[in-house]
Amino acid sequence: MNCIKKIMFLILYISFSASFAQEKLTKEKAISLALENNYGIKIADNNLKIAKNNKSILNSGYLPTLTGNAGATYNKDNTEAVFANQEVTILEGAKSNRFNASLSLNYTLFDGLGRLYNYKQLKEQYNLTELQARETIEKTLLQLFTVYHNVALLTENVSLLTQSLKISKDRLTRANYQFDFGQNTKLFVLNAEVDVNNDSIALLNTKQLLLNAKRDLYVVLGKKENPNFYVDTQVNFIITLNKQQLFEQVKTNNVNLLQIQRGIEISNFQLKANKSGYLPTIGLTTTYGWSKSNNNSASFLLESTNTGISTGFNFKWDIFNGGRTRTQVQNAKINYDIQQLSKQQKELEITRDFNNAWEDYKTKLFIFQTQEKNVQTNTNNFERTKESYKLGQITSIEFRQAQINLINAQLNLNKAKYEAKNAELKLLQLTGELLNVKY
C-alpha cells in the first residue's frame, strides 16, 4: 500500500503542476503564435524583405548616377623663373593654391537590354522568395499540428488512464471488502493491488510524456516560459474532394512545383541578359564644374576662375572579349536545361508523394472508422462483464481482461484519429491548400 501511496502522490503532484492556472490553447491561437514567434518564419520573412529591396527600381540600373567631386591643392615652392626678355625672378617659399568642384551625371541609355532582363530576374527572385517563405510556413504549420495533436492525444490518454485507474481502485476496494467478509482470498486483493500499481505507473508515464510534448509545442511556438495550457481535442476532417480533383490542385498549387517554375523563369532571363553582351552600350555624361587657381608671382596669371558645363555621349562595343560572353551564354543555356530536367524530376516525385499520401490518408481514415466500431464493441463487452463481475459470475481475471481490452481499444482509437488527421494535413500541404482551410 505504501508503494501505491507514493505513486499516487507523484500523480497528484504532476497533475497539480500541469493544471495550475491553465488556459486553453486553441488551434487558431497556436497558428497565430507560430506565425508571430517561430524563428524559421522570422528568418523567411527577413529574406523576403531583402528580396523586396532587391527588386526595387533603386536596384534596377534604370536610374542615373550623380557624383560630386571636390578638391584643393596647396603649394609652397622655391622658384627660379627666366622670362622671354631674359628677366630672372627668384622666389623662395612662393605660395599657390587651387580649388575645384564638380557634379557629374551619368546615365546608360542602352546596354543591350541586359538591364531589362536583370530587373525581371530580380522580380522573379522576389516571387521565388515568396514561395520559399510560404513553404517555410507550410512546414512549420505541419510541424505545429503534429506536435499539437500529440499533446491532444496524450491529453485524451491521460483522461482514459485516469478512468481506468479509478475502475481498478474501485475493484481493489471491493476485493478488500470481500476479503474482510471472507468472500475471497488474499490472492484477489493482491491481484487488484498489482493492477492498481500498473495503471498508476501507466498514468504517471503518460502525464510525463504530456508535459514533454507541451514543451515541444512551446518550442515550435517560439515561447520560452513553462507551458501551462490545455488543447482542443476536437478533430474535424476537411477533405471532401476525390483523388483526381485533389491531383489537379497539386499540379497548379504545389509550392515545390511553383518554385521550380520560378527557377525556370529566372534562368530564361539570365540567358537573355547574358546575350546582351553581344550588343553595344551607349551612355550619356554631363558635368558641371568650377575651379579656381591662385598662382605665385612667377606665373603670367595670378588668379583664374573657371565654371562651365560639358555634355557627351559614349559608345562601347566589345566586338571580341576573349569569348567570355559566348561562354556565359552557353552556360546559361545549360542551366536552363537543368531547370527543365529538375521540373520533370520534381513532377515525378510529387506525383509519387501524392499517391502515397492519398493511400495513407484513406488507410488511416478507414482504421479510425474501424477503431470507432471496435471501441463500441469493447464498451458493450466491458459493461456486460462488469455486471457479471458484480454478480460473481466471472473472475477478477476475466474482468481485468475486459478492462484492458477496452482501454487498449480507446487508446488505439485516439492514436488512429490523430494519425488520420495528420495524414490529411500532409495531403493538404501537397495540394497547396494547407493555408487556405479552417482547422
Tab-separated table of all heavy atoms in Angstrom, residues 176-234:
chain	number	residue	atom	x	y	z
A	176	ASN	N	-11.048	-5.814	-1.112
A	176	ASN	CA	-10.769	-5.721	0.326
A	176	ASN	C	-12.022	-6.006	1.155
A	176	ASN	O	-11.956	-6.716	2.172
A	176	ASN	CB	-10.218	-4.330	0.658
A	176	ASN	CG	-8.732	-4.204	0.359
A	176	ASN	OD1	-7.954	-5.107	0.682
A	176	ASN	ND2	-8.334	-3.099	-0.252
A	177	TYR	N	-13.176	-5.453	0.724
A	177	TYR	CA	-14.426	-5.736	1.431
A	177	TYR	C	-14.746	-7.229	1.406
A	177	TYR	O	-15.134	-7.825	2.414
A	177	TYR	CB	-15.571	-4.938	0.815
A	177	TYR	CG	-15.560	-3.464	1.161
A	177	TYR	CD1	-16.039	-2.500	0.267
A	177	TYR	CD2	-15.083	-3.022	2.398
A	177	TYR	CE1	-16.036	-1.145	0.588
A	177	TYR	CE2	-15.082	-1.683	2.719
A	177	TYR	CZ	-15.542	-0.759	1.825
A	177	TYR	OH	-15.544	0.584	2.155
A	178	GLN	N	-14.598	-7.823	0.238
A	178	GLN	CA	-14.912	-9.246	0.109
A	178	GLN	C	-13.970	-10.094	0.960
A	178	GLN	O	-14.379	-11.091	1.558
A	178	GLN	CB	-14.817	-9.664	-1.365
A	178	GLN	CG	-15.942	-9.099	-2.231
A	178	GLN	CD	-15.764	-9.449	-3.693
A	178	GLN	OE1	-14.654	-9.688	-4.147
A	178	GLN	NE2	-16.878	-9.458	-4.428
A	179	PHE	N	-12.706	-9.667	1.039
A	179	PHE	CA	-11.752	-10.406	1.868
A	179	PHE	C	-12.117	-10.269	3.345
A	179	PHE	O	-12.033	-11.240	4.120
A	179	PHE	CB	-10.337	-9.886	1.607
A	179	PHE	CG	-9.297	-10.533	2.483
A	179	PHE	CD1	-8.903	-11.848	2.289
A	179	PHE	CD2	-8.718	-9.810	3.541
A	179	PHE	CE1	-7.946	-12.430	3.113
A	179	PHE	CE2	-7.773	-10.390	4.360
A	179	PHE	CZ	-7.369	-11.698	4.148
A	180	ASP	N	-12.507	-9.050	3.732
A	180	ASP	CA	-12.876	-8.834	5.126
A	180	ASP	C	-14.077	-9.689	5.528
A	180	ASP	O	-14.164	-10.137	6.687
A	180	ASP	CB	-13.199	-7.345	5.357
A	180	ASP	CG	-11.954	-6.470	5.249
A	180	ASP	OD1	-10.838	-7.012	5.391
A	180	ASP	OD2	-12.101	-5.248	4.988
A	181	PHE	N	-14.984	-9.918	4.581
A	181	PHE	CA	-16.166	-10.725	4.893
A	181	PHE	C	-15.997	-12.193	4.496
A	181	PHE	O	-16.963	-12.960	4.508
A	181	PHE	CB	-17.399	-10.144	4.192
A	181	PHE	CG	-17.868	-8.845	4.779
A	181	PHE	CD1	-17.512	-7.635	4.213
A	181	PHE	CD2	-18.651	-8.832	5.935
A	181	PHE	CE1	-17.938	-6.438	4.765
A	181	PHE	CE2	-19.075	-7.634	6.476
A	181	PHE	CZ	-18.724	-6.420	5.908
A	182	GLY	N	-14.754	-12.559	4.151
A	182	GLY	CA	-14.472	-13.959	3.863
A	182	GLY	C	-15.034	-14.471	2.567
A	182	GLY	O	-15.209	-15.680	2.397
A	183	GLN	N	-15.303	-13.558	1.612
A	183	GLN	CA	-15.874	-13.988	0.339
A	183	GLN	C	-14.820	-14.300	-0.717
A	183	GLN	O	-15.134	-14.815	-1.781
A	183	GLN	CB	-16.824	-12.898	-0.193
A	183	GLN	CG	-18.031	-12.669	0.699
A	183	GLN	CD	-18.921	-11.551	0.176
A	183	GLN	OE1	-18.607	-10.942	-0.838
A	183	GLN	NE2	-20.025	-11.292	0.878
A	184	ASN	N	-13.550	-13.923	-0.457
A	184	ASN	CA	-12.469	-14.309	-1.357
A	184	ASN	C	-11.180	-14.416	-0.562
A	184	ASN	O	-11.149	-14.145	0.652
A	184	ASN	CB	-12.330	-13.321	-2.522
A	184	ASN	CG	-12.002	-11.909	-2.048
A	184	ASN	OD1	-11.431	-11.713	-0.984
A	184	ASN	ND2	-12.363	-10.920	-2.852
A	185	THR	N	-10.117	-14.764	-1.250
A	185	THR	CA	-8.825	-14.940	-0.576
A	185	THR	C	-7.972	-13.693	-0.747
A	185	THR	O	-8.317	-12.777	-1.509
A	185	THR	CB	-8.088	-16.152	-1.165
A	185	THR	OG1	-7.782	-15.872	-2.544
A	185	THR	CG2	-8.943	-17.411	-1.071
A	186	LYS	N	-6.847	-13.690	-0.063
A	186	LYS	CA	-5.916	-12.573	-0.161
A	186	LYS	C	-5.358	-12.434	-1.580
A	186	LYS	O	-4.955	-11.333	-2.006
A	186	LYS	CB	-4.763	-12.787	0.825
A	186	LYS	CG	-3.806	-11.614	0.948
A	186	LYS	CD	-4.494	-10.371	1.528
A	186	LYS	CE	-3.500	-9.257	1.760
A	186	LYS	NZ	-4.147	-8.041	2.279
A	187	LEU	N	-5.361	-13.532	-2.333
A	187	LEU	CA	-4.839	-13.506	-3.693
A	187	LEU	C	-5.603	-12.506	-4.558
A	187	LEU	O	-5.012	-11.797	-5.377
A	187	LEU	CB	-4.923	-14.904	-4.314
A	187	LEU	CG	-4.405	-15.043	-5.757
A	187	LEU	CD1	-2.931	-14.677	-5.827
A	187	LEU	CD2	-4.637	-16.460	-6.273
A	188	PHE	N	-6.935	-12.420	-4.367
A	188	PHE	CA	-7.741	-11.481	-5.142
A	188	PHE	C	-7.341	-10.028	-4.819
A	188	PHE	O	-7.308	-9.176	-5.698
A	188	PHE	CB	-9.222	-11.700	-4.842
A	188	PHE	CG	-9.772	-12.959	-5.448
A	188	PHE	CD1	-9.743	-14.164	-4.731
A	188	PHE	CD2	-10.316	-12.957	-6.729
A	188	PHE	CE1	-10.250	-15.320	-5.287
A	188	PHE	CE2	-10.828	-14.126	-7.279
A	188	PHE	CZ	-10.789	-15.312	-6.562
A	189	VAL	N	-7.047	-9.789	-3.536
A	189	VAL	CA	-6.630	-8.441	-3.125
A	189	VAL	C	-5.280	-8.092	-3.732
A	189	VAL	O	-5.069	-6.983	-4.260
A	189	VAL	CB	-6.575	-8.346	-1.595
A	189	VAL	CG1	-6.060	-6.967	-1.162
A	189	VAL	CG2	-7.954	-8.606	-0.992
A	190	LEU	N	-4.348	-9.039	-3.686
A	190	LEU	CA	-3.011	-8.786	-4.232
A	190	LEU	C	-3.062	-8.546	-5.738
A	190	LEU	O	-2.363	-7.671	-6.265
A	190	LEU	CB	-2.086	-9.963	-3.913
A	190	LEU	CG	-1.791	-10.184	-2.425
A	190	LEU	CD1	-0.945	-11.433	-2.221
A	190	LEU	CD2	-1.078	-8.969	-1.830
A	191	ASN	N	-3.887	-9.318	-6.448
A	191	ASN	CA	-4.038	-9.110	-7.896
A	191	ASN	C	-4.584	-7.709	-8.189
A	191	ASN	O	-4.143	-7.030	-9.131
A	191	ASN	CB	-4.965	-10.164	-8.496
A	191	ASN	CG	-4.299	-11.522	-8.613
A	191	ASN	OD1	-3.071	-11.619	-8.685
A	191	ASN	ND2	-5.092	-12.589	-8.616
A	192	ALA	N	-5.544	-7.285	-7.386
A	192	ALA	CA	-6.122	-5.949	-7.570
A	192	ALA	C	-5.095	-4.861	-7.294
A	192	ALA	O	-5.042	-3.842	-7.995
A	192	ALA	CB	-7.340	-5.788	-6.670
A	193	GLU	N	-4.253	-5.076	-6.273
A	193	GLU	CA	-3.194	-4.109	-5.961
A	193	GLU	C	-2.192	-4.006	-7.102
A	193	GLU	O	-1.739	-2.905	-7.464
A	193	GLU	CB	-2.484	-4.503	-4.668
A	193	GLU	CG	-3.289	-4.248	-3.402
A	193	GLU	CD	-2.488	-4.574	-2.154
A	193	GLU	OE1	-1.297	-4.970	-2.297
A	193	GLU	OE2	-3.024	-4.439	-1.048
A	194	VAL	N	-1.829	-5.133	-7.681
A	194	VAL	CA	-0.892	-5.137	-8.808
A	194	VAL	C	-1.469	-4.342	-9.984
A	194	VAL	O	-0.781	-3.548	-10.628
A	194	VAL	CB	-0.560	-6.580	-9.232
A	194	VAL	CG1	0.192	-6.591	-10.561
A	194	VAL	CG2	0.257	-7.277	-8.165
A	195	ASP	N	-2.746	-4.547	-10.245
A	195	ASP	CA	-3.389	-3.839	-11.355
A	195	ASP	C	-3.452	-2.334	-11.088
A	195	ASP	O	-3.264	-1.522	-11.996
A	195	ASP	CB	-4.790	-4.394	-11.593
A	195	ASP	CG	-4.758	-5.827	-12.114
A	195	ASP	OD1	-3.721	-6.215	-12.703
A	195	ASP	OD2	-5.753	-6.554	-11.932
A	196	VAL	N	-3.714	-1.952	-9.820
A	196	VAL	CA	-3.710	-0.532	-9.474
A	196	VAL	C	-2.321	0.060	-9.673
A	196	VAL	O	-2.160	1.173	-10.211
A	196	VAL	CB	-4.192	-0.324	-8.025
A	196	VAL	CG1	-3.929	1.121	-7.567
A	196	VAL	CG2	-5.676	-0.634	-7.905
A	197	ASN	N	-1.297	-0.689	-9.247
A	197	ASN	CA	0.084	-0.218	-9.433
A	197	ASN	C	0.405	-0.023	-10.921
A	197	ASN	O	0.976	0.993	-11.325
A	197	ASN	CB	1.075	-1.198	-8.828
A	197	ASN	CG	1.103	-1.129	-7.314
A	197	ASN	OD1	0.721	-0.108	-6.729
A	197	ASN	ND2	1.526	-2.201	-6.667
A	198	ASN	N	0.045	-1.009	-11.724
A	198	ASN	CA	0.335	-0.931	-13.163
A	198	ASN	C	-0.400	0.235	-13.819
A	198	ASN	O	0.174	0.969	-14.630
A	198	ASN	CB	-0.046	-2.242	-13.852
A	198	ASN	CG	0.880	-3.390	-13.476
A	198	ASN	OD1	2.035	-3.168	-13.109
A	198	ASN	ND2	0.382	-4.619	-13.561
A	199	ASP	N	-1.666	0.421	-13.457
A	199	ASP	CA	-2.434	1.528	-14.028
A	199	ASP	C	-1.889	2.876	-13.564
A	199	ASP	O	-1.865	3.853	-14.327
A	199	ASP	CB	-3.904	1.410	-13.640
A	199	ASP	CG	-4.587	0.240	-14.348
A	199	ASP	OD1	-3.971	-0.329	-15.274
A	199	ASP	OD2	-5.729	-0.106	-13.981
A	200	SER	N	-1.436	2.929	-12.316
A	200	SER	CA	-0.860	4.173	-11.785
A	200	SER	C	0.430	4.524	-12.508
A	200	SER	O	0.673	5.692	-12.861
A	200	SER	CB	-0.605	4.043	-10.283
A	200	SER	OG	-1.797	3.780	-9.576
A	201	ILE	N	1.257	3.516	-12.729
A	201	ILE	CA	2.524	3.757	-13.439
A	201	ILE	C	2.259	4.198	-14.874
A	201	ILE	O	2.904	5.125	-15.382
A	201	ILE	CB	3.402	2.485	-13.404
A	201	ILE	CG1	3.875	2.211	-11.966
A	201	ILE	CG2	4.587	2.616	-14.340
A	201	ILE	CD1	4.568	0.884	-11.794
A	202	ALA	N	1.312	3.560	-15.545
A	202	ALA	CA	0.970	3.943	-16.916
A	202	ALA	C	0.475	5.383	-16.969
A	202	ALA	O	0.834	6.153	-17.872
A	202	ALA	CB	-0.091	2.993	-17.466
A	203	LEU	N	-0.343	5.762	-15.984
A	203	LEU	CA	-0.846	7.127	-15.930
A	203	LEU	C	0.281	8.115	-15.655
A	203	LEU	O	0.363	9.183	-16.281
A	203	LEU	CB	-1.925	7.240	-14.848
A	203	LEU	CG	-2.508	8.638	-14.604
A	203	LEU	CD1	-3.122	9.202	-15.881
A	203	LEU	CD2	-3.542	8.599	-13.481
A	204	LEU	N	1.171	7.769	-14.740
A	204	LEU	CA	2.295	8.639	-14.388
A	204	LEU	C	3.193	8.868	-15.604
A	204	LEU	O	3.586	10.013	-15.900
A	204	LEU	CB	3.088	8.016	-13.242
A	204	LEU	CG	4.263	8.836	-12.685
A	204	LEU	CD1	3.755	10.130	-12.062
A	204	LEU	CD2	5.050	8.025	-11.668
A	205	ASN	N	3.520	7.797	-16.319
A	205	ASN	CA	4.377	7.922	-17.504
A	205	ASN	C	3.708	8.771	-18.587
A	205	ASN	O	4.362	9.587	-19.249
A	205	ASN	CB	4.708	6.533	-18.068
A	205	ASN	CG	5.687	5.770	-17.191
A	205	ASN	OD1	6.487	6.368	-16.474
A	205	ASN	ND2	5.628	4.451	-17.230
A	206	THR	N	2.415	8.583	-18.776
A	206	THR	CA	1.698	9.341	-19.801
A	206	THR	C	1.632	10.820	-19.458
A	206	THR	O	1.750	11.686	-20.332
A	206	THR	CB	0.284	8.775	-19.992
A	206	THR	OG1	0.367	7.373	-20.276
A	206	THR	CG2	-0.433	9.464	-21.133
A	207	LYS	N	1.462	11.127	-18.170
A	207	LYS	CA	1.460	12.529	-17.761
A	207	LYS	C	2.816	13.181	-17.976
A	207	LYS	O	2.901	14.353	-18.373
A	207	LYS	CB	1.048	12.641	-16.289
A	207	LYS	CG	-0.435	12.420	-16.053
A	207	LYS	CD	-0.840	12.798	-14.648
A	207	LYS	CE	-2.364	12.751	-14.481
A	207	LYS	NZ	-2.807	13.213	-13.168
A	208	GLN	N	3.883	12.409	-17.759
A	208	GLN	CA	5.213	12.951	-18.014
A	208	GLN	C	5.426	13.189	-19.504
A	208	GLN	O	5.983	14.209	-19.924
A	208	GLN	CB	6.283	11.991	-17.478
A	208	GLN	CG	7.710	12.529	-17.612
A	208	GLN	CD	7.892	13.837	-16.871
A	208	GLN	OE1	7.630	13.935	-15.682
A	208	GLN	NE2	8.340	14.864	-17.586
A	209	LEU	N	4.952	12.258	-20.336
A	209	LEU	CA	5.040	12.437	-21.782
A	209	LEU	C	4.237	13.654	-22.230
A	209	LEU	O	4.643	14.377	-23.154
A	209	LEU	CB	4.538	11.180	-22.500
A	209	LEU	CG	5.390	9.913	-22.373
A	209	LEU	CD1	4.671	8.732	-23.020
A	209	LEU	CD2	6.752	10.121	-23.014
A	210	LEU	N	3.118	13.895	-21.576
A	210	LEU	CA	2.292	15.050	-21.901
A	210	LEU	C	3.025	16.350	-21.598
A	210	LEU	O	3.009	17.294	-22.407
A	210	LEU	CB	0.979	14.991	-21.131
A	210	LEU	CG	0.027	16.187	-21.293
A	210	LEU	CD1	-0.348	16.375	-22.753
A	210	LEU	CD2	-1.217	16.007	-20.435
A	211	LEU	N	3.690	16.419	-20.465
A	211	LEU	CA	4.467	17.617	-20.137
A	211	LEU	C	5.586	17.840	-21.145
A	211	LEU	O	5.850	18.978	-21.575
A	211	LEU	CB	5.036	17.496	-18.726
A	211	LEU	CG	4.053	17.661	-17.560
A	211	LEU	CD1	4.755	17.405	-16.238
A	211	LEU	CD2	3.439	19.052	-17.571
A	212	ASN	N	6.255	16.755	-21.529
A	212	ASN	CA	7.325	16.874	-22.523
A	212	ASN	C	6.778	17.367	-23.860
A	212	ASN	O	7.396	18.198	-24.536
A	212	ASN	CB	8.019	15.524	-22.708
A	212	ASN	CG	8.763	15.070	-21.458
A	212	ASN	OD1	9.024	15.871	-20.558
A	212	ASN	ND2	9.095	13.806	-21.396
A	213	ALA	N	5.622	16.826	-24.250
A	213	ALA	CA	5.016	17.236	-25.521
A	213	ALA	C	4.612	18.709	-25.490
A	213	ALA	O	4.723	19.419	-26.501
A	213	ALA	CB	3.802	16.361	-25.823
A	214	LYS	N	4.150	19.193	-24.362
A	214	LYS	CA	3.798	20.608	-24.243
A	214	LYS	C	5.028	21.487	-24.394
A	214	LYS	O	4.973	22.557	-25.018
A	214	LYS	CB	3.115	20.877	-22.901
A	214	LYS	CG	1.687	20.337	-22.812
A	214	LYS	CD	1.032	20.717	-21.493
A	214	LYS	CE	-0.427	20.264	-21.448
A	214	LYS	NZ	-1.090	20.661	-20.193
A	215	ARG	N	6.150	21.029	-23.849
A	215	ARG	CA	7.396	21.794	-24.022
A	215	ARG	C	7.812	21.806	-25.491
A	215	ARG	O	8.291	22.831	-26.003
A	215	ARG	CB	8.497	21.205	-23.149
A	215	ARG	CG	8.233	21.320	-21.655
A	215	ARG	CD	9.450	20.882	-20.837
A	215	ARG	NE	9.153	20.874	-19.418
A	215	ARG	CZ	8.867	19.788	-18.713
A	215	ARG	NH1	8.834	18.606	-19.303
A	215	ARG	NH2	8.606	19.867	-17.424
A	216	ASP	N	7.649	20.674	-26.166
A	216	ASP	CA	7.951	20.615	-27.603
A	216	ASP	C	7.084	21.598	-28.378
A	216	ASP	O	7.564	22.270	-29.309
A	216	ASP	CB	7.717	19.195	-28.138
A	216	ASP	CG	8.719	18.197	-27.592
A	216	ASP	OD1	9.805	18.621	-27.153
A	216	ASP	OD2	8.419	16.991	-27.606
A	217	LEU	N	5.825	21.706	-28.001
A	217	LEU	CA	4.921	22.618	-28.691
A	217	LEU	C	5.337	24.064	-28.457
A	217	LEU	O	5.280	24.890	-29.383
A	217	LEU	CB	3.487	22.398	-28.202
A	217	LEU	CG	2.400	23.255	-28.861
A	217	LEU	CD1	2.415	23.093	-30.369
A	217	LEU	CD2	1.020	22.899	-28.300
A	218	TYR	N	5.780	24.380	-27.273
A	218	TYR	CA	6.223	25.749	-26.990
A	218	TYR	C	7.461	26.116	-27.795
A	218	TYR	O	7.666	27.283	-28.143
A	218	TYR	CB	6.484	25.906	-25.483
A	218	TYR	CG	5.349	26.589	-24.749
A	218	TYR	CD1	4.049	26.506	-25.215
A	218	TYR	CD2	5.574	27.326	-23.602
A	218	TYR	CE1	3.004	27.127	-24.556
A	218	TYR	CE2	4.535	27.960	-22.920
A	218	TYR	CZ	3.255	27.857	-23.413
A	218	TYR	OH	2.218	28.482	-22.768
A	219	VAL	N	8.316	25.140	-28.086
A	219	VAL	CA	9.483	25.414	-28.931
A	219	VAL	C	9.031	25.825	-30.331
A	219	VAL	O	9.555	26.779	-30.919
A	219	VAL	CB	10.410	24.178	-28.995
A	219	VAL	CG1	11.490	24.382	-30.054
A	219	VAL	CG2	11.062	23.931	-27.648
A	220	VAL	N	8.060	25.110	-30.875
A	220	VAL	CA	7.528	25.456	-32.201
A	220	VAL	C	6.881	26.836	-32.179
A	220	VAL	O	6.996	27.612	-33.140
A	220	VAL	CB	6.503	24.404	-32.676
A	220	VAL	CG1	5.944	24.775	-34.042
A	220	VAL	CG2	7.142	23.024	-32.738
A	221	LEU	N	6.233	27.182	-31.067
A	221	LEU	CA	5.572	28.479	-30.938
A	221	LEU	C	6.537	29.605	-30.600
A	221	LEU	O	6.151	30.770	-30.574
A	221	LEU	CB	4.477	28.415	-29.866
A	221	LEU	CG	3.341	27.413	-30.102
A	221	LEU	CD1	2.350	27.448	-28.948
A	221	LEU	CD2	2.639	27.693	-31.420
A	222	GLY	N	7.803	29.263	-30.336
A	222	GLY	CA	8.787	30.287	-30.002
A	222	GLY	C	8.605	30.880	-28.632
A	222	GLY	O	9.009	32.021	-28.379
A	223	LYS	N	8.010	30.121	-27.705
A	223	LYS	CA	7.778	30.606	-26.345
A	223	LYS	C	8.768	29.945	-25.388
A	223	LYS	O	9.088	28.768	-25.521
A	223	LYS	CB	6.332	30.313	-25.913
A	223	LYS	CG	5.295	31.059	-26.749
A	223	LYS	CD	3.874	30.679	-26.378
A	223	LYS	CE	3.472	31.169	-24.999
A	223	LYS	NZ	3.398	32.631	-24.917
A	224	LYS	N	9.239	30.713	-24.418
A	224	LYS	CA	10.287	30.235	-23.528
A	224	LYS	C	9.780	29.854	-22.141
A	224	LYS	O	10.457	29.125	-21.418
A	224	LYS	CB	11.369	31.321	-23.384
A	224	LYS	CG	12.048	31.678	-24.698
A	224	LYS	CD	13.077	32.774	-24.502
A	224	LYS	CE	13.739	33.145	-25.822
A	224	LYS	NZ	14.741	34.221	-25.653
A	225	GLU	N	8.618	30.362	-21.729
A	225	GLU	CA	8.140	30.105	-20.377
A	225	GLU	C	7.669	28.660	-20.218
A	225	GLU	O	7.521	27.922	-21.198
A	225	GLU	CB	7.009	31.071	-20.005
A	225	GLU	CG	5.827	31.004	-20.944
A	225	GLU	CD	5.893	32.037	-22.050
A	225	GLU	OE1	7.020	32.442	-22.410
A	225	GLU	OE2	4.828	32.417	-22.561
A	226	ASN	N	7.425	28.274	-18.975
A	226	ASN	CA	6.929	26.923	-18.710
A	226	ASN	C	5.506	26.780	-19.247
A	226	ASN	O	4.680	27.668	-19.072
A	226	ASN	CB	6.948	26.635	-17.204
A	226	ASN	CG	8.354	26.502	-16.666
A	226	ASN	OD1	9.245	26.005	-17.354
A	226	ASN	ND2	8.574	26.948	-15.443
A	227	PRO	N	5.215	25.663	-19.913
A	227	PRO	CA	3.890	25.505	-20.529
A	227	PRO	C	2.789	25.278	-19.505
A	227	PRO	O	2.870	24.377	-18.669
A	227	PRO	CB	4.073	24.272	-21.430
A	227	PRO	CG	5.184	23.498	-20.799
A	227	PRO	CD	6.099	24.511	-20.183
A	228	ASN	N	1.773	26.114	-19.558
A	228	ASN	CA	0.583	25.960	-18.730
A	228	ASN	C	-0.643	26.155	-19.623
A	228	ASN	O	-1.132	27.271	-19.778
A	228	ASN	CB	0.566	26.985	-17.584
A	228	ASN	CG	1.259	26.454	-16.347
A	228	ASN	OD1	1.087	25.301	-15.977
A	228	ASN	ND2	2.061	27.298	-15.727
A	229	PHE	N	-1.106	25.101	-20.232
A	229	PHE	CA	-2.226	25.219	-21.148
A	229	PHE	C	-2.833	23.838	-21.373
A	229	PHE	O	-2.241	22.817	-21.032
A	229	PHE	CB	-1.780	25.808	-22.495
A	229	PHE	CG	-0.806	24.938	-23.232
A	229	PHE	CD1	-1.240	23.980	-24.151
A	229	PHE	CD2	0.564	25.061	-23.027
A	229	PHE	CE1	-0.352	23.172	-24.837
A	229	PHE	CE2	1.466	24.254	-23.699
A	229	PHE	CZ	1.000	23.309	-24.604
A	230	TYR	N	-4.017	23.833	-21.937
A	230	TYR	CA	-4.606	22.588	-22.434
A	230	TYR	C	-5.098	22.854	-23.853
A	230	TYR	O	-5.315	24.004	-24.251
A	230	TYR	CB	-5.740	22.108	-21.528
A	230	TYR	CG	-6.938	23.013	-21.456
A	230	TYR	CD1	-8.065	22.790	-22.245
A	230	TYR	CD2	-6.953	24.101	-20.586
A	230	TYR	CE1	-9.172	23.615	-22.173
A	230	TYR	CE2	-8.050	24.944	-20.511
A	230	TYR	CZ	-9.155	24.698	-21.300
A	230	TYR	OH	-10.239	25.531	-21.238
A	231	VAL	N	-5.237	21.807	-24.641
A	231	VAL	CA	-5.510	21.972	-26.059
A	231	VAL	C	-6.902	21.461	-26.415
A	231	VAL	O	-7.560	20.778	-25.632
A	231	VAL	CB	-4.456	21.246	-26.918
A	231	VAL	CG1	-3.070	21.811	-26.665
A	231	VAL	CG2	-4.484	19.740	-26.651
A	232	ASP	N	-7.297	21.803	-27.625
A	232	ASP	CA	-8.577	21.356	-28.166
A	232	ASP	C	-8.401	19.946	-28.729
A	232	ASP	O	-7.549	19.711	-29.586
A	232	ASP	CB	-9.017	22.319	-29.264
A	232	ASP	CG	-10.377	21.960	-29.845
A	232	ASP	OD1	-11.040	21.053	-29.297
A	232	ASP	OD2	-10.769	22.584	-30.852
A	233	THR	N	-9.198	19.005	-28.256
A	233	THR	CA	-9.090	17.617	-28.704
A	233	THR	C	-10.122	17.270	-29.770
A	233	THR	O	-10.215	16.111	-30.181
A	233	THR	CB	-9.247	16.651	-27.510
A	233	THR	OG1	-10.513	16.873	-26.885
A	233	THR	CG2	-8.129	16.859	-26.504
A	234	GLN	N	-10.864	18.280	-30.219
A	234	GLN	CA	-11.854	18.040	-31.269
A	234	GLN	C	-11.157	17.966	-32.626
A	234	GLN	O	-10.340	18.819	-32.963
A	234	GLN	CB	-12.886	19.159	-31.278
A	234	GLN	CG	-14.000	18.985	-32.303
A	234	GLN	CD	-14.926	17.826	-31.979
A	234	GLN	OE1	-15.153	17.534	-30.806
A	234	GLN	NE2	-15.445	17.169	-32.994
